[in-house]
Amino acid sequence: MRVYVLNGVNLDVLGRRDPAHYGSLTLPELEGKVREWGEELGLEVDCRQTNAEGEYVGWIHEALDSADGVIVNPGAWTHYSYAIRDALELLSVPVVEVHLSDVEAREEWRRTSVVRDVAAKTVMGKGPEGYREALEFLDKL
Ligand code: DQA
């Protein structure tokens, strides 16, 4: 099973963002854990990050023909990108929305997710472990 793990805008600067919300791991450290968890489950994990919305949409289009499941943390795009939502809606494979922080318990504007209704599951507020939960969910389907 091939899983795309797509981290979006500003997730490249993890480790420098507010640790109270995002913890202290850098993106390479987080991706290292995600790959390890994937290996344990026998999944082929492809981790990517970009700050360019068009590139992110392009990866979702690529997933149409080459992924069996997609984990997305679109960062702030979560809250307003209908372009990313429309791309995710095209997928017939399951999508899991992950947020390191508990977006429901922060500013009002973070409570809106335009991708939630196209995701099979949402995990938030569990830090890096949220990605493990997402992998396990996809593995069990
Ligand atoms: C985030 C939450 C978003 O509100 C924020 O803009 C991010 C990261 C998270 O992982 O908690 O960049 O998606």
Side-chain angles (χ1 to χ4, degrees):
M1 184 180 194
R2 186 155 190 228
V3 179
Y4 279 19
V5 179
L6 305 179
N7 284 303
V9 63
N10 289 314
L11 289 161
D12 56 327
V13 283
L14 282 177
R16 307 177 83 170
R17 297 182 73 182
D18 185 349
H21 292 304
Y22 304 114
S24 53
L25 289 190
T26 62
L27 181 66
E29 288 166 346
L30 172 67
E31 290 181 337
K33 277 182 178 285
V34 172
R35 279 192 208 98
E36 258 175 46
W37 293 328
E39 262 169 46
E40 282 168 22
L41 293 167
L43 304 173
E44 191 190 325
V45 172
D46 187 340
C47 293
R48 305 181 191 185
Q49 187 279 331
T50 182
N51 292 321
E53 190 180 7
E55 188 172 27
Y56 200 84
V57 167
W59 289 341
I60 296 167
H61 292 171
E62 189 187 310
L64 279 172
D65 296 317
S66 46
D68 304 299
V70 178
I71 296 172
V72 291
N73 181 349
W77 290 327
T78 305
H79 312 300
Y80 65 87
S81 175
Y82 297 113
I84 289 172
R85 187 224 175 274
D86 281 353
L88 290 171
E89 192 182 22
L90 286 166
L91 293 171
S92 51
V93 297
V95 175
V96 184
E97 174 191 10
V98 173
H99 300 287
L100 293 160
S101 66
D102 183 0
V103 285
E104 296 286 341
R106 298 179 61 191
E107 301 93 323
E108 185 65 42
W109 59 268
R110 288 188 206 271
R111 293 190 193 154
T112 300
S113 165
V114 299
V115 304
R116 191 140 317 153
D117 71 316
V118 290
K121 181 181 171 71
T122 298
V123 187
M124 62 179 87
K126 296 188 176 172
E129 286 292 322
Y131 290 82
R132 193 211 284 255
E133 195 175 316
L135 289 168
E136 286 170 352
F137 172 80
L138 291 175
D139 182 53
K140 284 196 191 114
L141 287 179

